[in-house]
Amino acid sequence: EIGVASTKAYTSQIVCLSLLALQLSEDSKAQEARRNEILEGLASLSSNVALALEACDEAVQSVASKMKDAKSVLVLGRGFQFPTALEAALKVKELTYIHTEGINAGELKHGPLALIDKHIPVIIICTKDATIERVRNAVQQIRARDGRPIVVLSEPHAELESLAETVIRVPG
């Protein structure tokens, strides 16, 4: 065994920090409903991960077969998804030995855009949040450079899906 990818460590850190935030907000009655919602989400995390893996397995297999000969891969995320892009890039790098970089989608115009062409797979994490329109702009820029964006969506988005070469839909 040469490469070891520990997704448990990343997930555990997110869970621990979420629990810390919940504990710190415990004296706020106004946040009680949101705290309960988050606790329910954390309690169902394991089953939700299993569902997500099952839901996107076919699309992931298809993307992997297209990417297997890539020399470099870029993974983009913005806002809360930027750390996920960094972690995803690390996992691809650890397991495939393909040069992979996680990039803030908001920084695309400041250098990384020059790297994009039809030969470099670009994975973009797009969740429906406050940054989705800016991420859509990044996908448009990638397409304008002859890039072939692989868009990871948490919810349907007709325009992003039409811009993407491949869509991986994960449950939101």
Side-chain angles (χ1 to χ4, degrees), residues 84-106:
T84 302
L86 291 173
E87 185 69 13
L90 178 63
K91 297 308 167 208
V92 171
K93 194 182 309 184
E94 286 176 338
L95 294 174
T96 66
Y97 300 100
I98 296 172
H99 170 255
T100 308
E101 289 191 41
I103 297 172
N104 184 332

Side-chain angles (χ1 to χ4, degrees), residues 23-159:
Q23 188 67 41
L24 291 171
S25 71
E26 196 170 62
D27 63 343
S28 171
K29 190 72 172 160
Q31 295 298 322
E32 186 174 3
R34 180 66 178 137
R35 269 194 312 279
N36 290 336
E37 181 184 341
I38 292 168
L39 284 169
E40 288 172 15
L42 291 172
S44 62
L45 184 62
S46 180
S47 60
N48 287 340
V49 168
L51 289 172
L53 291 172
E54 186 177 316
C56 66
D57 184 58
E58 190 174 312
V60 169
Q61 294 287 337
S62 172
V63 167
S65 69
K66 293 175 189 174
M67 288 177 50
K68 67 180 172 35
D69 296 322
K71 301 292 182 224
S72 291
V73 175
L74 301 178
V75 184
L76 279 60
R78 188 170 179 134
F80 294 125
Q81 300 313 319
F82 177 50
T84 302
L86 291 173
E87 185 69 13
L90 178 63
K91 297 308 167 208
V92 171
K93 194 182 309 184
E94 286 176 338
L95 294 174
T96 66
Y97 300 100
I98 296 172
H99 170 255
T100 308
E101 289 191 41
I103 297 172
N104 184 332
E107 300 295 321
L108 192 58
K109 288 183 178 179
H110 303 288
L113 191 58
L115 300 172
I116 294 174
D117 63 22
K118 64 183 178 183
H119 302 291
I120 296 180
V122 183
I123 301 168
I124 307 102
I125 301 168
C126 303
T127 55
K128 193 158 190 172
D129 61 16
T131 66
I132 195 158
E133 290 308 311
R134 291 181 176 152
V135 173
R136 179 186 51 79
N137 291 339
V139 174
Q140 289 173 327
Q141 292 169 18
I142 292 164
R143 269 297 189 196
R145 292 276 184 167
D146 243 356
R148 299 174 307 160
I150 301 159
V151 177
V152 180
L153 287 173
S154 60
E155 295 183 28
H157 191 290
E159 188 175 0

